[in-house]
Amino acid sequence: MMKTIMLVDDDPHIIKALTEHINWPSLGLSIAGTAANGVDALELFQRVHPDLVMTDVYLPGMTGLEVTQELRRDYPHLPIIILSGYDEFENARAAMRWGVNHFLLKPAEVEEIESVLREVLLEQDVRERRERLERTYKQEAGRVLPYLRKQFLHELLTTRYRADELPEARMDYIGFQIYDKVRAVSLQLNRPGFMTRMKERDWQLLRYGAADIIQETVKQQTAEMANFQVEVVDYSDQVFVLVMLGDKDYFEDLQALVGRMIDQIFTYLKIEVSAGIGRVKEHPCEVIDSYLESREAVERAEFQGGNRIYHVETSEEVERSATDYSLLLHQWDEAWADLRINQAEEVWLQLFHSLQEGNCASIQDAQVVAVSLFDTMMHSWKKQQPMLTPPLTMSDFLREIQSKYALHDLINWMDGVIKGWLEQIRKEMGEKKSNKLIAQVKQYVEEHYAEEISFEAIAKGLFVHPKYLSQLFKRVTGENFVSYLNGYRIQRAMELLQSGHYMVYEVSEMTGFRNATYFSQVFKMLTGKSPSEIG
């Protein structure tokens, strides 16, 4: 069935060009009507009810953004395409806040307009198919309830809801019982260096094995306890999340459950697991906060070592608001003004982690931050390299940013854009990478490997943020700090064992391992042999 579109522009030449030069039939579209101002556009819309709207920004009476705002109130899913002039970033920000599907820059080529229209129609078709599929799911509830339950749990970890947005009827429908206490645990599988060289299929087999151990352990534990439930969420390639539900806070039981999982995964699969436990909350809508706290806690495990359980401190946290971004964006602008690339990268890492931790109220807010970042980079590029083509054009950036529907997809995409941009800038400037910080970390390991080493303490001594130093270390060396530290300690252990002067337990203590059993396990995992076979 052919869909319809309404065109809004006060320039009759634009309307004529769009009408005559766009191959509407090939797109499966017909023009339902045209309007030259915002008021007429709203009246026309109510008469013809088109499937799509394409509007200019500057119109007599009402702007295109005001028209968009009015339409969005009653038609939240209506595809709207904005036409605007060059470099109008304020318009881009406003359009994103109102969920505009695409932002076309004038003058736009016919091919570009048709491409955007095809993309919008495809998105609309996907949405309509999804809605039809959801209706089918409701008719076949018995088969789709497990899927809806998993989807709901994933939403609780990624979307900030209010209590009134989670009606009991919905949770009852999917069999999600409401308890007085909820808590989240993040389990991160630490893929060691030798496993990165494995085929992806081999790693996935190990990962599936870990998933089976987690599920079986949960089943055994919860079968013995009343009013206690644990849901397992397969969150990402290396992260599983446990959502604890109970009539009280079963913290000790939960900690014992997680400890058993860690031990069994390491015993049977030789994979280290870092676990982070968030604070207990009072309502399912708050589980996202407990999850973010668990992720914060598990990041500490990366600095201290695997096969450990971490939980957030009980001291009060200072909540950051969206206004915190203004200071970082100001620092970002200053760094690019003087082309201090390393400082710009540090600012982005702070923003990246802040966005990952859920400090943005919505994906539209994250898009506004992204536009501000890109605006600064683009102006700096034009100032410093006016004759060179930038790594990403403005049109492509605006088109791509609108195709990211999930917050984490947008953040990770921006991470790739900014890192690629910084790499290109460094290439053009002939800047050499400095490994001074990493050399200092390695020197510290060489001097203190026999002692208890805190990565956070090393970072503090070097006056850098541990998250930044961790990413820098992995980028330069190709492995995380814990893998490097274990590898260095095992290398020194081999030298001591080959000397024939020390027992295994003595070498374990001399190389900084907590106990001889753990030392032997790590030794065999990295060398393929037990310590007693060396010498």
Side-chain angles (χ1 to χ4, degrees):
M1 181 178 178
M2 184 168 288
K3 295 183 179 294
T4 59
I5 187 172
M6 180 177 76
L7 306 177
V8 185
D9 201 302
D10 61 334
D11 187 340
H13 299 290
I14 296 292
I15 294 292
K16 182 179 180 182
L18 290 172
T19 303
E20 296 179 355
H21 296 294
I22 301 298
N23 192 346
W24 299 106
S26 71
L27 297 171
L29 280 171
S30 64
I31 299 174
T34 64
N37 62 69
V39 175
D40 290 347
L42 291 176
E43 293 178 355
L44 177 63
F45 183 89
Q46 296 302 327
R47 292 200 309 271
V48 300
H49 291 286
D51 298 296
L52 290 81
V53 172
M54 181 183 292
T55 177
D56 191 7
V57 171
Y58 298 110
L59 298 169
M62 296 177 66
T63 68
L65 296 176
E66 290 172 333
V67 171
T68 298
Q69 181 177 345
E70 288 292 326
L71 292 175
R72 272 284 175 263
R73 289 171 179 163
D74 297 325
Y75 305 93
H77 299 300
L78 174 70
I80 299 177
I81 301 169
I82 289 288
L83 291 167
S84 183
Y86 290 103
D87 296 320
E88 294 179 342
F89 282 96
E90 288 303 322
N91 289 337
R93 291 189 182 97
M96 288 170 190
R97 286 193 178 279
W98 287 104
V100 169
N101 294 72
H102 284 277
F103 196 98
L104 276 171
L105 301 174
K106 293 181 179 180
E109 299 291 337
V110 170
E111 292 79 5
E112 182 181 9
I113 296 173
E114 291 182 347
S115 175
V116 167
L117 288 168
R118 288 191 186 93
E119 187 174 341
V120 170
L121 289 168
L122 178 61
E123 291 169 356
Q124 190 178 37
D125 182 60
V126 169
R127 179 177 59 79
E128 291 173 352
R129 286 173 182 269
R130 185 169 62 245
E131 290 174 351
R132 288 196 298 270
L133 184 61
E134 288 174 353
R135 288 193 295 270
T136 302
Y137 282 167
K138 291 178 181 179
Q139 296 170 358
E140 302 178 6
R143 282 186 285 177
V144 303
L145 278 180
Y147 164 78
L148 294 176
R149 187 181 182 85
K150 289 180 181 179
Q151 184 184 49
F152 175 70
L153 286 166
H154 199 277
E155 284 180 13
L156 288 181
L157 299 176
T158 56
T159 306
R160 189 172 299 280
Y161 288 107
R162 299 189 307 271
D164 59 357
E165 292 177 325
L166 293 177
E168 293 185 15
R170 179 187 178 189
M171 289 187 280
D172 289 341
Y173 177 73
I174 61 173
F176 190 89
Q177 187 174 349
I178 299 177
Y179 288 93
D180 294 333
K181 306 294 180 183
V182 295
R183 189 191 286 267
V185 180
S186 289
L187 299 172
Q188 178 167 302
L189 307 182
N190 296 329
R191 187 172 178 174
F194 78 93
M195 284 190 181
T196 60
R197 297 186 292 272
M198 295 174 62
K199 291 182 178 179
E200 186 61 28
R201 178 178 176 275
D202 296 330
W203 165 249
Q204 291 301 327
L205 288 174
L206 287 174
R207 181 181 174 281
Y208 292 149
D212 288 341
I213 290 174
I214 292 170
Q215 292 282 6
E216 189 61 30
T217 308
V218 166
K219 187 184 299 183
Q220 293 173 358
Q221 179 88 1
T222 54
E224 303 169 359
M225 301 180 63
N227 300 321
F228 178 71
Q229 183 178 345
V230 177
E231 300 282 352
V232 181
V233 181
D234 191 343
Y235 192 82
S236 69
D237 185 58
Q238 291 182 233
V239 176
F240 293 90
V241 180
L242 308 181
V243 178
M244 183 279 294
L245 306 157
D247 57 356
K248 62 180 181 179
D249 184 19
Y250 293 89
F251 177 74
E252 293 182 0
D253 297 294
L254 184 63
Q255 194 162 1
L257 172 68
V258 174
R260 192 184 309 171
M261 291 176 181
I262 291 175
D263 291 341
Q264 291 187 3
I265 291 174
F266 190 82
T267 299
Y268 293 108
L269 303 176
K270 303 305 177 193
I271 299 176
E272 289 189 344
V273 178
S274 300
I277 301 181
R279 292 186 181 89
V280 67
K281 305 296 179 182
E282 307 295 329
H283 192 276
C285 71
E286 298 176 299
V287 74
I288 184 174
D289 296 310
S290 185
Y291 164 68
L292 293 173
E293 291 166 356
S294 75
R295 293 301 299 157
E296 177 185 342
V298 87
E299 284 176 0
R300 299 179 187 175
E302 181 182 356
F303 308 145
Q304 302 295 338
N307 282 0
R308 293 188 181 184
I309 301 174
Y310 292 79
H311 55 85
V312 293
E313 303 294 337
T314 56
S315 58
E316 291 293 325
E317 290 184 327
V318 178
E319 295 184 358
R320 286 180 288 179
S321 66
T323 56
D324 287 337
Y325 292 119
S326 61
L327 176 59
L328 289 172
L329 291 174
H330 179 67
Q331 294 173 356
W332 174 264
D333 292 342
E334 289 184 336
W336 281 98
D338 301 329
L339 270 187
R340 286 172 283 155
I341 303 304
N342 290 337
Q343 182 178 340
E345 186 172 37
E346 290 180 23
V347 173
W348 164 243
L349 284 173
Q350 293 182 59
L351 277 166
F352 177 74
H353 289 298
S354 182
L355 291 165
Q356 275 193 324
E357 290 166 3
N359 294 317
C360 235
S362 66
I363 191 170
Q364 284 77 23
D365 290 337
Q367 288 174 331
V368 171
V369 172
V371 169
S372 298
L373 296 172
F374 187 79
D375 186 15
T376 299
M377 291 194 302
M378 180 63 79
H379 279 86
S380 175
W381 183 279
K382 289 180 178 180
K383 179 180 177 182
Q384 301 296 332
Q385 290 92 219
M387 303 304 292
L388 295 177
T389 302
L392 184 67
T393 65
M394 186 189 310
S395 297
D396 290 339
F397 172 80
L398 294 173
R399 186 179 300 114
E400 283 290 333
I401 203 174
Q402 287 293 340
S403 69
K404 312 302 175 188
Y405 302 107
L407 184 59
H408 65 88
D409 287 340
L410 172 62
I411 296 168
N412 291 332
W413 176 75
M414 276 301 300
D415 186 47
V417 168
I418 290 176
K419 286 179 178 176
W421 197 288
L422 292 172
E423 182 179 351
Q424 184 69 16
I425 287 287
R426 287 188 173 114
K427 181 179 178 181
E428 296 298 334
M429 294 174 60
E431 178 180 319
K432 297 181 179 179
K433 294 182 178 179
S434 172
N435 296 332
K436 184 178 179 181
L437 277 175
I438 305 307
Q440 289 175 294
V441 174
K442 290 183 176 180
Q443 181 180 354
Y444 186 92
V445 170
E446 293 173 7
E447 295 173 355
H448 301 275
Y449 69 90
E451 307 167 13
E452 182 76 16
I453 292 180
S454 167
F455 188 83
E456 290 175 314
I458 296 175
K460 184 177 180 181
L462 296 175
F463 304 103
V464 294
H465 196 284
K467 292 179 182 177
Y468 166 68
L469 185 60
S470 174
Q471 289 199 352
L472 181 63
F473 189 92
K474 189 168 186 178
R475 191 177 73 229
V476 172
T477 66
E479 59 183 336
N480 63 36
F481 175 74
V482 172
S483 297
Y484 174 79
L485 176 60
N486 282 341
Y488 185 84
R489 283 173 166 168
I490 295 302
Q491 181 183 351
R492 297 307 300 266
M494 289 186 67
E495 296 172 1
L496 293 171
L497 289 169
Q498 288 170 349
S499 71
H501 298 312
Y502 306 100
M503 301 296 289
V504 171
Y505 76 90
E506 292 177 310
V507 173
S508 172
E509 293 177 358
M510 294 169 69
T511 52
F513 285 92
R514 299 190 298 274
N515 58 66
T517 301
Y518 179 69
F519 164 69
S520 298
Q521 291 174 331
V522 175
F523 191 97
K524 188 165 186 178
M525 183 176 66
L526 294 181
T527 67
K529 297 180 180 180
S530 65
S532 59
E533 296 179 71
I534 306 297

